[in-house]
Amino acid sequence: MLQWFCFVRSTSETLAPAKGVDKSTYSKIEKGLREVTVTELTKMAKLFNLSVDQIINYDENVKPKEIVIEDKSTLEQMELIQQLDEEDKSTVFKIIDKMLTTKKFKDFFNKNVAAL
């Protein structure tokens, strides 16, 4: 299992917060200084679309699949967003707010101004 954590580290060091584990905790797990909890293991398996068994019995030939949020249900999308750290969550929500505001403005404009 330790090999899997090292593989994930080598693919992207910025993923620790998205895995639901802070960087220092993840580093300790990776170095074998701390055991991973069942909850943390489950979050990571879900994030990488792997089973817990695939992580525990790591096979370097089985690579985690890239996450494509558009392919997920609305509930799964929200669960993925909730796994982000607070700053990233805030950024995502600001982008959504901006897009919704822009859409409302365009709809208002098209309905009221373009008809003149």
Side-chain angles (χ1 to χ4, degrees):
M1 183 166 67
L2 189 57
Q3 287 177 320
W4 184 83
F5 284 95
C6 292
F7 165 75
V8 172
R9 166 73 77 168
S10 70
T11 58
S12 175
E13 291 190 17
T14 61
L15 289 174
K19 292 179 214 116
V21 181
D22 66 54
K23 288 180 184 178
S24 66
T25 299
Y26 189 81
S27 178
K28 289 176 186 173
I29 292 169
E30 180 184 60
K31 292 175 185 174
L33 301 174
R34 179 185 177 284
E35 294 295 320
V36 64
T37 67
V38 173
T39 302
E40 292 164 341
L41 187 58
T42 303
K43 284 180 182 179
M44 287 184 240
K46 189 173 184 177
L47 178 68
F48 288 105
N49 200 22
L50 295 169
S51 69
V52 171
D53 184 58
Q54 286 174 307
I55 293 174
I56 292 172
N57 300 305
Y58 175 69
D59 177 354
E60 65 184 45
N61 297 318
V62 177
K63 304 292 185 209
K65 297 175 186 171
E66 182 178 327
I67 298 170
V68 180
I69 198 163
E70 292 88 6
D71 295 343
K72 307 288 185 193
S73 70
T74 303
L75 179 60
E76 290 173 312
Q77 290 173 348
M78 291 308 296
E79 287 173 350
L80 288 170
I81 290 170
Q82 289 303 318
Q83 291 177 16
L84 298 172
D85 64 28
E86 290 303 315
E87 183 179 343
D88 290 341
K89 248 191 281 190
S90 177
T91 301
V92 168
F93 290 133
K94 285 177 184 175
I95 291 169
I96 292 170
D97 287 345
K98 171 71 172 130
M99 294 174 83
L100 290 171
T101 300
T102 301
K103 181 187 180 325
K104 286 180 183 178
F105 178 77
K106 284 180 183 177
D107 290 347
F108 175 81
F109 181 83
N110 289 336
K111 182 179 177 183
N112 296 304
V113 178
L116 296 176

